Amino acid sequence: MNPTENPTDVSPVRSYQSSEAPPENQIPALRVRDLSFFYGTRKVVEGIDMDVQQNQVTAIIGPSGCGKSTFVKALNRIAELEGKVKVEGQVEFFGQNIYGSKVNLNQLRRQIGMVFQKPNPFPKSIYDNVAYGIRLGSHRSRADLDEIVEAGLRGAALWDEVKDKLKQSAFGLSGGQQQRLCIARALAVKPKVLLMDEPCSALDPIATMKIEELIEVLRKDLTIVIVTHNMQQASRVSNYTAFFSTDESRIGRMIEMGPTAQIFMAANHHSTRDYIEGRFG
Ligand SMILES: Nc1ncnc2c1ncn2[C@@H]1O[C@H](COP(=O)(O)OP(=O)(O)O)[C@@H](O)[C@H]1O
Ligand SMILES: [Mg+2]
């Protein structure tokens, strides 16, 4: 998006998806087949099939409680940190089964980073927030760390705002800066995929616009899956959109997925059109 544009301009036709379609011979970054997810014995999502294309932005939209957060957290196996869960079906990350027995979970969660609804910086300095994952992974010289921290902050479009106060607490930053810091923290460990679960829902329109601009830059180097409640945001930032909803037994399903322009202008299912047009959810 052009920074001079008004952030409240919500024209759903402005998008860039068709001009940069992925090459046809590329494997998806994530390939999900017949995925079902249970908390305890309760099934919350069922039968999800999805290909997440490399270097594209995939938006997930749908009413509250349809399993969007659960689904994205199943993609880097953090959902299971919440208690007893069961997963059926397959998720492949660049061809590797992430639910296989030999998977290194720490490595997986670095390669598939995540940013949450509410910015969640650690109670540490700005510098230490970004260096955190690197320090866990291996010993690095100070010079190396400095370089990685700067690259992470630049990648998250935050460097210029914080370069003179790297030692200060992350809690002194605004909400939008904290969210970009969380993005910098995820970028520092060089993920291939970034999952964003309603990353702008706690932010004002200007901070939201900065994150949206960042998404467009980031996708040149990685693959993004973003859950959003904001239809205009989905239409502005994403190349593909998936609509999730619940059935009568409250189980979440993917109703349809397609290029964002098609979902927004000519969805196949009436429930998708109703949701997009604000008649439901
Ligand atoms: N940790 C959890 N334990 C048990 N049930 C959960 C947990 N997290 C979410 N749920 C339930 O799973 C369903 C899907 O939730 P969620 O994935 O958060 O949906 P969404 O992000 O679309 O609002 C909801 O019914 C919710 O109450
Ligand atoms: Mg959610």
Side-chain angles (χ1 to χ4, degrees):
M1 197 193 308
N2 179 333
T4 59
E5 279 175 307
N6 178 349
T8 58
D9 169 8
V10 292
S11 163
V13 290
R14 186 184 54 209
S15 60
Y16 49 91
Q17 55 265 4
S18 49
S19 57
E20 291 175 65
E24 272 172 23
N25 55 2
Q26 216 171 45
I27 64 163
L30 288 160
R31 183 182 154 92
V32 181
R33 288 295 176 274
D34 202 18
L35 185 80
S36 296
F37 191 97
F38 302 71
Y39 287 111
T41 54
R42 188 181 157 222
K43 189 186 280 186
V44 297
V45 293
E46 181 173 87
I48 312 284
D49 290 316
M50 183 186 291
D51 283 349
V52 175
Q53 303 297 347
Q54 293 181 42
N55 299 99
Q56 304 286 304
V57 179
T58 299
I60 300 177
I61 61 171
S64 279
C66 67
K68 303 178 299 296
S69 294
T70 299
F71 173 72
V72 292
K73 287 187 289 185
L75 299 178
N76 68 350
R77 295 192 57 180
I78 63 166
E80 62 206 66
L81 299 174
E82 288 171 32
K84 195 173 161 356
V85 307
K86 187 170 85 173
V87 180
E88 291 173 352
Q90 285 98 44
V91 180
E92 286 179 3
F93 170 59
F94 289 94
Q96 180 208 9
N97 170 17
I98 72 160
Y99 283 96
S101 56
K102 295 211 175 79
V103 171
N104 176 332
L105 289 178
N106 287 332
Q107 198 186 344
L108 178 75
R109 290 166 184 159
R110 293 152 76 91
Q111 289 182 313
I112 308 180
M114 182 141 184
V115 175
F116 298 86
Q117 198 163 341
K118 209 169 153 285
N120 61 346
F122 301 132
K124 292 173 179 290
S125 69
I126 293 166
Y127 185 100
D128 287 346
N129 263 275
V130 185
Y132 183 82
I134 298 291
R135 283 177 167 145
L136 281 186
S138 61
H139 183 77
R140 298 294 186 103
S141 70
R142 184 71 193 199
D144 270 3
L145 270 184
D146 287 353
E147 205 170 289
I148 292 164
V149 167
E150 177 171 343
L153 289 166
R154 282 191 189 280
L158 190 57
W159 174 251
D160 290 339
E161 290 160 63
V162 301
K163 62 174 190 265
D164 299 323
K165 51 178 180 184
L166 295 173
K167 295 275 171 273
Q168 291 178 22
S169 167
F171 293 153
L173 298 174
S174 71
Q177 289 173 326
Q178 288 188 15
Q179 195 61 302
R180 280 179 283 137
L181 181 66
C182 293
I183 294 171
R185 183 175 66 191
L187 294 179
V189 296
K190 299 242 184 301
K192 291 204 169 81
V193 174
L194 188 61
L195 308 172
M196 308 179 94
D197 190 0
E198 303 194 34
C200 302
S201 61
L203 305 184
D204 65 44
I206 302 291
T208 295
M209 186 183 71
K210 288 195 177 140
I211 303 272
E212 290 187 7
E213 287 169 1
L214 184 56
I215 288 170
E216 193 171 338
V217 175
L218 289 176
R219 84 175 181 108
K220 298 188 172 83
D221 295 319
L222 47 72
T223 300
I224 294 175
V225 179
I226 179 171
V227 176
T228 177
H229 258 115
N230 179 325
M231 295 304 101
Q232 286 77 28
Q233 176 164 83
S235 69
R236 284 194 295 262
V237 305
S238 74
N239 310 100
Y240 294 93
T241 297
F243 174 62
F244 282 35
S245 192
T246 44
D247 62 15
E248 49 301 322
S249 50
R250 303 288 301 151
I251 297 173
R253 294 175 195 283
M254 190 173 90
I255 307 300
E256 66 183 305
M257 175 171 177
T260 293
Q262 184 242 312
I263 295 294
F264 276 81
M265 289 184 282
N268 288 320
H269 289 257
H270 69 86
S271 59
T272 312
R273 296 193 293 270
D274 286 353
Y275 182 77
I276 286 170
E277 288 161 26
R279 285 197 288 269
F280 156 77

